[in-house]
Amino acid sequence: MTTHDWTETGFATRAIHAGQDPDAATGAVVPPVYLTSTYKQDGVGGLRGGYEYSRSANPTRTALETALAAAEAPAGGPSPHGFAFASGLAAEDTLLRAVLRPGDHVILPDDAYGGSYRLIARVFGAWGVEHTAVDLTDAGAVGAAVRPTTRVLWVETPTNPLLGVSDIAALAALAHDAGALLVVDNTFATPYLQTPLALGADVVVHSTTKYVGGHSDVVGGALVVADGVPLPGGRPAPNGEDDVAAAVRFHQNASGAVADPFAAWLTLRGLKTLAVRMDRHQANALAVAQFLQAHPRVTRVLYPGLASHPGHALAARQMRGFGGMLSFQVGSEAAALAVVDRTRVFTLAESLGGVESLIEHPGRMTHASVAGSALEVPADLVRVSVGIEDATDLIADLEQALAPTVSQ
């Protein structure tokens, strides 16, 4: 538990120190991993620091949740509430269960992450929740999709895998006029490059497996909820409270898909170096994007850092950098499959945000679940997570992977 106020410090300082004061007993500068399931009570109900059972709360998880909230906190505003989960989808599921009821309606991007779409369309669809997939860069289309039952406007910016950029402030105003919540998946941008709560969002979602963890060695998720946001529709949470943070806290404990102590510790370690890693990720990504844009076998490059990207100007306004993710098209599915098969520095694998560069074919891998839907991705699309290796090696690897073969 932190005793110092880090709210006025810079991002990197907050990421390293918020929630992580030296251990009071030993002076250890790294928070301990509290591998315990339960805690001694000083008499019935006499809890030390509020801890009774590690599903409800654990000191290592508390440190991570405090640090995540500090990372996403808008300057000068009230402190938000952080919650750490076993995966990004566990975080999304908990949030949606906390704020939705059968008959409610969700608006989501028409190029959202396949796992989010699967959860909303198939899991919550069976529960009676309806959804509409919309181009969130088109304010008129978003407005036309709003219904009296709309409770959540779900945003990814940049989107996965087409790197679309949406105006968070404008969508926040639209959502709030409709009595809905604006939820922003900030996984691609990270809190280092974008702080949606400062732009009017109500909830930020992360797969902390990705850039926050940063080393492909831990699975986790997080929610950061703005303070004092009322539940949509005027309905109370099961515990009688009426704000989103209280409802999420109740459901986190009741459902139990929490980050375990060691996963929380690994994620907290990753958060400390997020700033320096993202600087390298995005420098490499820009170099790769510029190489791909000039390559004769590449038909299109999707990266917000390129002036040719339709969302470039908006991204430059609402982000502090353009991130480490990009996608490109090569004209045919066969060509795309050949490229992902031939790289050696880029590893063919799902996921993203680690120090190593990854490459994948979304249509057959991460986004296979949206095949045949409005969210289906182009068959010739290749997605890359640009790591922190030497940029010259990354470019050389893509160059040989894109080189024509004898059969071509």
Side-chain angles (χ1 to χ4, degrees):
M1 186 70 68
T2 188
T3 58
H4 185 82
D5 181 6
W6 298 99
T7 56
E8 300 303 317
T9 60
F11 176 87
T13 303
R14 295 197 309 276
I16 292 169
H17 293 288
Q20 304 165 72
D21 284 353
D23 182 62
T26 66
V29 298
V30 176
V33 185
Y34 284 88
L35 295 175
T36 183
S37 60
T38 193
Y39 306 81
K40 181 185 185 304
Q41 299 188 18
D42 299 320
V44 176
L47 308 183
R48 301 184 191 181
Y51 296 103
E52 59 179 336
Y53 186 62
S54 276
R55 171 174 40 78
S56 303
N58 174 280
T60 313
R61 193 169 87 235
T62 298
L64 173 59
E65 292 175 336
T66 302
L68 289 168
E72 286 284 0
S79 297
H81 306 266
F83 303 90
F85 294 87
S87 69
L89 283 169
E92 294 183 16
D93 180 66
T94 299
L95 172 65
L96 293 171
R97 290 186 189 279
V99 304
L100 296 177
R101 300 292 182 272
D104 287 348
H105 176 245
V106 177
I107 297 173
L108 72 159
D110 62 1
D111 60 340
Y113 165 55
S116 298
Y117 173 79
R118 181 178 57 223
L119 177 67
I120 292 170
R122 299 183 184 177
V123 177
F124 281 87
W127 194 43
V129 171
E130 299 179 317
H131 72 279
T132 303
V134 179
D135 177 2
L136 296 189
T137 66
D138 183 345
V142 178
V146 172
R147 306 176 186 175
T149 55
T150 300
R151 299 290 180 250
V152 170
L153 175 50
W154 189 278
V155 178
E156 289 177 17
T157 183
T159 56
N160 179 7
L162 298 179
L163 282 300
V165 178
S166 297
D167 189 329
I168 295 173
L171 291 174
L174 195 155
H176 297 157
D177 285 346
L181 300 175
L182 184 73
V183 178
V184 177
D185 185 333
N186 204 28
T187 298
F188 270 26
T190 81
Y192 178 58
L193 300 181
Q194 182 172 268
T195 41
L197 297 183
L199 298 170
D202 300 299
V203 183
V204 172
V205 176
H206 282 283
S207 170
T208 55
T209 308
K210 312 305 193 296
Y211 285 106
V212 173
H215 294 79
S216 302
D217 57 7
V218 62
V219 173
L223 300 174
V224 180
V225 183
D227 187 55
V229 176
L231 285 164
R235 299 169 299 209
N239 60 350
E241 299 190 66
D242 62 0
D243 70 277
V244 175
V248 168
R249 185 173 292 107
F250 174 85
H251 280 267
Q252 183 190 41
N253 181 53
S255 301
V258 296
D260 72 81
F262 189 59
W265 185 87
L266 283 172
T267 306
L268 192 61
R269 183 183 66 168
L271 181 62
K272 290 173 184 282
T273 61
L274 178 62
V276 292
R277 286 187 287 106
M278 288 309 300
D279 285 340
R280 182 62 172 265
H281 280 298
Q282 61 185 349
N284 281 356
L286 179 60
V288 168
Q290 290 171 335
F291 160 77
L292 291 169
Q293 191 173 45
H295 198 285
R297 298 180 67 83
V298 175
T299 61
R300 187 184 183 201
V301 181
L302 302 170
Y303 181 63
L306 294 175
S308 59
H309 189 283
H312 175 73
L314 174 58
R317 289 199 307 272
Q318 75 180 15
M319 299 175 70
R320 294 177 288 274
F322 302 105
M325 296 299 300
L326 63 89
S327 294
F328 62 96
Q329 292 175 259
V330 289
S332 71
E333 183 177 54
L337 294 173
V339 169
V340 302
D341 184 58
R342 294 175 64 186
T343 58
R344 296 297 176 262
V345 181
F346 284 85
T347 300
L348 177 61
E350 297 193 3
S351 198
L352 58 102
V355 294
E356 65 288 311
S357 293
L358 303 179
I359 192 166
E360 64 121 0
H361 183 263
R364 294 203 183 185
M365 296 171 68
T366 53
H367 289 69
S369 64
V370 301
S373 77
L375 284 76
E376 184 170 0
V377 300
D380 69 334
L381 188 74
V382 175
R383 190 192 74 179
V384 296
S385 172
V386 183
I388 65 172
E389 302 96 337
D390 290 294
T392 53
D393 294 326
L394 297 176
I395 290 170
D397 191 37
L398 289 172
E399 187 169 31
Q400 64 83 24
L402 286 161
T405 63
V406 174
S407 61
Q408 295 171 320

